[in-house]
Amino acid sequence: MKTNQNTPTLFVVTHKNYRMPKDALYVPIQVGSGDTIHAEWLRDNTEDNISDKNLTFCELTALYWVWKNTDADVVGLCHYRRYLGSPKSGRGGRRKKLLSSADIEFLLNEADVILPRKRHYYIETRESQYVHAHHAKDIECVEAILTEKFPEYLAAWERMKKSRSGHICNMFVMPRKRLDDYCKWLFAILFEAEKRLDISTYNENDRRVFGYLAERLLDVWIDKNGLRTVEVPMLTLEDQHWLKKGSAFLWRKFFAKKK
């Protein structure tokens, strides 16, 4: 996909028909194996792709496609229901103003990567939260891969595990050179983990393992490489069922049994 290389492009990952921003900055990309929704939208099952992994890699199949098949100088990833907000949106994104090209230019003058504000776990570390929500062997597998192939990242990995906050949803904006470096490292780890992990007994949610792991690995990569970050609001276009989510979290923490 040829783009105006001097203009940022934010790719909006979707698997369903949904309203999209009218700003040309935002480019929809449909993921997965469903029927084509809009002829004008990009598909992650064309050209160099891993679309058949969408059930386990989630939005990362779009990220892989963007990495391999586009050429914009500045690249971002967001979701059809979740966007990075302008700093003018204020705390909590109450005014719901989407990140603009002007915002990106301004922010990347001061930082290397634009991220959504961190999620805080408070009573959990990121490691314990993952283990309670998913499977401990996923974390153990990635740690083994880092030990063997990328030992220089282990200190940052340990800091991530012990932290009580982190960036979620695999959403960011960064220059192309950094995207290339990140994706080369990230997919090397995830493709190796895919070979080693048996997820045949995982439920539908836990099968999204590689998307969940990537959320943790993004912070590890940023930490180890000493990148400057700036956080902006995450804008959610649909109501969040916080009571339901909170109840599910507590049930997983105290009652769920996983290996």
Side-chain angles (χ1 to χ4, degrees):
M1 173 191 169
K2 296 297 182 181
T3 60
N4 183 340
Q5 291 183 315
N6 296 318
T7 302
T9 304
L10 303 190
F11 294 89
V12 184
V13 182
T14 186
H15 65 277
K16 63 191 291 187
N17 195 358
Y18 207 83
R19 61 189 183 277
M20 292 289 168
K22 299 186 185 306
D23 188 338
L25 169 67
Y26 292 90
V27 176
I29 176 168
Q30 182 184 341
V31 296
S33 59
D35 294 336
T36 297
I37 299 170
H38 284 291
E40 298 82 6
W41 291 3
L42 300 174
R43 289 295 309 267
D44 77 341
N45 64 353
T46 61
E47 301 181 83
D48 189 348
N49 74 85
I50 56 168
S51 181
D52 61 341
K53 301 181 188 293
N54 183 251
L55 291 179
T56 55
F57 277 69
C58 312
E59 62 275 349
L60 299 181
T61 61
L63 176 60
Y64 183 93
W65 192 94
V66 168
W67 173 39
K68 291 294 188 179
N69 302 300
T70 68
D71 60 0
D73 284 342
V74 176
V75 177
L77 200 71
C78 51
H79 300 254
Y80 70 98
R81 294 181 300 175
R82 299 186 186 94
Y83 292 85
L84 296 171
S86 168
K88 303 178 183 67
S89 295
R91 175 78 46 187
R94 287 181 292 274
R95 292 189 290 277
K96 294 200 173 180
K97 181 177 176 61
L98 298 188
L99 199 66
S100 69
S101 295
D103 292 327
I104 292 170
E105 181 179 3
F106 173 77
L107 294 170
L108 289 182
N109 279 331
E110 303 296 328
D112 301 308
V113 184
I114 302 171
L115 297 167
R117 289 190 178 126
K118 288 182 178 180
R119 172 175 288 180
H120 298 280
Y121 297 99
Y122 300 109
I123 64 172
E124 291 266 61
T125 65
R126 294 193 80 187
E127 180 180 26
S128 65
Q129 185 277 330
Y130 190 97
V131 170
H132 291 141
H134 309 293
H135 295 267
K137 69 178 184 179
D138 305 342
I139 291 285
E140 294 164 359
C141 178
V142 168
E143 187 162 320
I145 294 168
L146 291 176
T147 301
E148 296 169 22
K149 299 179 180 295
F150 303 100
E152 67 275 19
Y153 281 86
L154 282 172
W157 172 258
E158 288 300 320
R159 287 191 290 272
M160 181 280 297
K161 289 197 302 179
K162 294 174 182 177
S163 69
R164 294 180 184 272
S165 63
H167 300 101
I168 63 171
C169 297
N170 293 309
M171 293 168 57
F172 56 78
V173 181
M174 66 178 76
R176 165 65 59 174
K177 175 60 169 64
R178 298 204 183 279
L179 181 84
D180 290 342
D181 293 343
Y182 173 56
C183 287
K184 182 178 179 181
W185 175 81
L186 175 70
F187 285 106
I189 295 168
L190 296 182
F191 289 158
E192 182 63 26
E194 185 184 32
K195 295 176 185 176
R196 300 186 187 191
L197 278 173
D198 179 6
I199 64 171
S200 60
T201 61
Y202 283 16
N203 62 32
E204 182 179 356
N205 182 61
D206 288 347
R207 279 198 295 271
R208 302 168 68 186
V209 51
F210 304 110
Y212 292 133
L213 290 171
E215 291 178 310
R216 280 77 184 168
L217 287 167
L218 175 59
D219 282 339
V220 172
W221 177 75
I222 288 171
D223 179 4
K224 189 277 173 188
N225 290 291
L227 301 183
R228 301 167 303 159
T229 63
V230 60
E231 295 183 352
V232 297
M234 181 188 293
L235 305 186
T236 304
L237 301 189
E238 294 182 358
D239 291 338
Q240 298 292 291
H241 301 290
W242 293 115
L243 180 60
K244 180 179 179 181
K245 289 185 176 183
S247 299
F249 164 73
L250 292 172
W251 185 89
R252 290 194 304 263
K253 179 173 176 60
F254 294 110
F255 300 106
K257 301 295 183 182
K258 292 188 178 182
K259 296 181 180 180

